[in-house]
Amino acid sequence: MAGDGGTLNTAPAMLDEFRILNGQSRYDVFAVWQEALAKAFKEAGWPVTIAPVQTPVPAGGRRVSFGFNLVRNWSRSAMTMRHVAWLVDHPVYHGAVLAPQISRLPVNLENCLFGSVDSHWTRFAAGVYAVPNLCCWPHATVMDSVTEPDWSGRRYDVVFFGSLESPDSISGELRRKAGAFTPVLEALLEAVQDRDECLDERVWTALRAVGREGDAARVALNVFFPLVDLVYRNRQRLRLLKAVRRPIHVFGSGPWRDAGLPDTIHWHDPVPYAEALRIMSEARIVINHTPTLHGGAHERIMDAIACGCYVFTTPSDFVESEFGGSGGLCVYRAGDAPWVGEKIDAALADPDSPARVAKAQKVLAARHRMRHRAKAIMEALRTCWPDVCA
């Protein structure tokens, strides 16, 4: 990519090993991220290894382990090793580690550095869990270079990547677990179903309004929020795809064929993320649906732009501030579903759309490569633990 400021000369003094733990994830996305991040660190001169999660922790030395989400052996033997966790899901999904006083997990928070992909999530987690070492590291593209947005020979007009879970099934599980809280949470879901909301704040406020405070509120949040979040996201996902009456190729797991979607939807089996990148390079438009990611950018946004795609996405202050001026990205809101298809058709018909994507690619190259996130992690490590990494 052009315009990325050259190579990093930020090799650490003293660090013996930066160990990236080989984690498993849906669609093998962690495998792609781990390789890209390891490459970025190696280019900066860091002593990087990619190791199995269960690799024994050596005694002594200045070593730091790294994992996406909660990829780590959270055991007493590992408590003395400094660890970096890049949280790519909402921090509440990882509440057991962020609040070890509740979960009783063997976690030393002073030896952990957490990064969240969303600035709003970061502030929320800092306020709810009082985590001592918490940063915001947005997603970045894993691509080494961009693909020219020449749309003339591309196979797909519009693609959508994402999973589906039955909102009715999740609602049933929520009712079973919520008990007396069920009316409050169901009323909340009804109130936000057609709106773009900071759902975490709404759930947190609702729980405290019915008398939960302190650790009791955190326990309820850890239990209920993931279910409320899944209902909200899956309802909105179905509402969007039912409203967009134009051909869309959908790649992802879940009960798509039983969801009552229009016959303009073309279903495909889920693909590993490395294959998704290839499909993006053969597409003109990618629809991204992440309605609770308001202060960050899903990896699909970054990689789709790198692959030369015009992106339609749910609202995010971060995305709009970074890419809004380029014109290679269109934000649609919850109430816009009936008109998204028309906007997509207009973008496909506009001969200037590829040029707008090229402008977005320049922003990507300047600020949102994996090497930029590696640099941010390096700087955070030096601030957090100067005795390990100077």
Side-chain angles (χ1 to χ4, degrees):
M1 290 185 183
D4 61 7
T7 58
L8 289 173
N9 295 309
T10 51
M14 299 192 293
L15 189 64
D16 295 329
E17 179 189 14
F18 188 78
R19 180 186 299 177
I20 298 177
L21 301 175
N22 188 6
Q24 305 300 310
S25 62
R26 181 179 282 186
Y27 309 129
D28 292 332
V29 67
F30 285 2
V32 177
W33 291 343
Q34 288 158 186
E35 291 292 339
L37 193 60
K39 181 177 180 180
F41 280 125
K42 287 176 182 177
E43 289 176 351
W46 276 48
V48 177
T49 60
I50 298 180
V53 174
Q54 299 301 330
T55 301
V57 178
R62 298 181 176 89
R63 296 178 174 85
V64 176
S65 60
F66 172 94
F68 288 101
N69 283 346
L70 299 188
V71 172
R72 190 194 193 192
N73 178 19
W74 296 93
S75 63
R76 294 192 180 280
S77 63
M79 287 177 69
T80 59
M81 187 172 185
R82 310 292 175 88
H83 180 72
V84 179
W86 194 351
L87 307 180
V88 297
D89 294 326
H90 196 291
V92 175
Y93 282 75
H94 314 304
V97 164
L98 299 180
Q101 78 278 10
I102 299 173
S103 65
R104 304 303 180 189
L105 284 179
V107 178
N108 181 351
L109 291 177
E110 295 295 335
N111 281 347
C112 295
L113 171 61
F114 298 97
S116 173
V117 295
D118 184 293
S119 60
H120 170 80
W121 295 358
T122 305
R123 291 191 297 272
F124 183 82
V128 171
Y129 298 108
V131 181
N133 306 314
L134 182 61
C135 303
C136 180
W137 303 322
H139 280 294
T141 181
V142 298
M143 307 296 284
D144 288 328
S145 60
V146 301
T147 301
E148 182 182 357
D150 179 358
W151 289 1
S152 58
R154 298 209 167 193
R155 178 180 179 184
Y156 304 104
D157 276 347
V158 185
V159 296
F160 179 98
F161 298 91
S163 302
L164 178 70
E165 297 182 54
S166 168
D168 292 339
S169 297
I170 304 165
S171 295
E173 184 179 356
L174 178 62
R175 284 191 292 272
R176 288 191 295 273
K177 290 188 174 181
F181 292 103
T182 298
V184 172
L185 297 176
E186 288 190 336
L188 187 156
L189 280 166
E190 184 66 24
V192 303
Q193 66 175 348
D194 294 317
R195 299 170 60 182
D196 302 300
E197 287 282 344
C198 291
L199 197 63
D200 48 11
E201 291 182 353
R202 291 293 299 264
V203 174
W204 182 240
T205 299
L207 291 172
R208 298 173 77 188
V210 294
R212 287 294 184 267
E213 294 290 345
D215 281 350
R218 294 183 187 94
V219 169
L221 182 73
N222 292 352
V223 173
F224 302 143
F225 172 78
L227 296 171
V228 173
D229 179 54
L230 284 172
V231 173
Y232 175 76
R233 285 191 283 125
N234 282 279
R235 281 180 179 173
Q236 284 214 358
R237 184 160 294 181
L238 286 174
R239 189 176 295 112
L240 169 70
L241 292 177
K242 287 179 180 179
V244 180
R245 297 283 174 167
R246 60 110 48 239
I248 302 173
H249 291 269
V250 173
F251 298 82
S253 61
W256 288 106
R257 289 175 173 80
D258 301 322
L261 296 174
D263 57 11
T264 50
I265 300 294
H266 303 284
W267 294 283
H268 301 267
D269 290 335
V271 296
Y273 196 66
E275 176 67 6
L277 295 173
R278 185 194 63 77
I279 293 169
M280 288 182 197
S281 70
E282 297 181 352
R284 297 175 179 85
I285 289 178
V286 169
I287 300 177
N288 175 66
H289 183 258
T290 46
T292 56
L293 194 67
H294 296 292
H298 195 275
E299 71 269 10
R300 282 189 296 267
I301 296 175
M302 300 297 194
D303 289 327
I305 291 171
C307 289
C309 300
Y310 196 111
V311 176
F312 277 69
T313 185
T314 41
S316 163
D317 292 340
F318 175 82
V319 167
E320 293 185 66
S321 67
E322 291 295 302
F323 297 103
S326 70
L329 181 145
C330 178
V331 171
Y332 64 89
R333 304 185 185 279
D336 292 342
W339 299 281
V340 172
E342 296 175 15
K343 293 180 180 180
I344 288 174
D345 289 339
L348 288 169
D350 188 345
D352 293 330
S353 287
R356 295 190 178 102
V357 175
K359 288 179 63 178
Q361 288 179 335
K362 292 181 180 179
V363 176
L364 191 79
R367 295 195 288 273
H368 302 300
R369 291 183 64 184
M370 195 62 84
R371 65 188 305 281
H372 298 113
R373 302 301 179 261
K375 182 178 180 181
I377 293 170
M378 295 172 187
E379 292 170 349
L381 278 171
R382 291 191 177 101
T383 300
C384 191
W385 302 316
D387 59 317
V388 171
C389 177

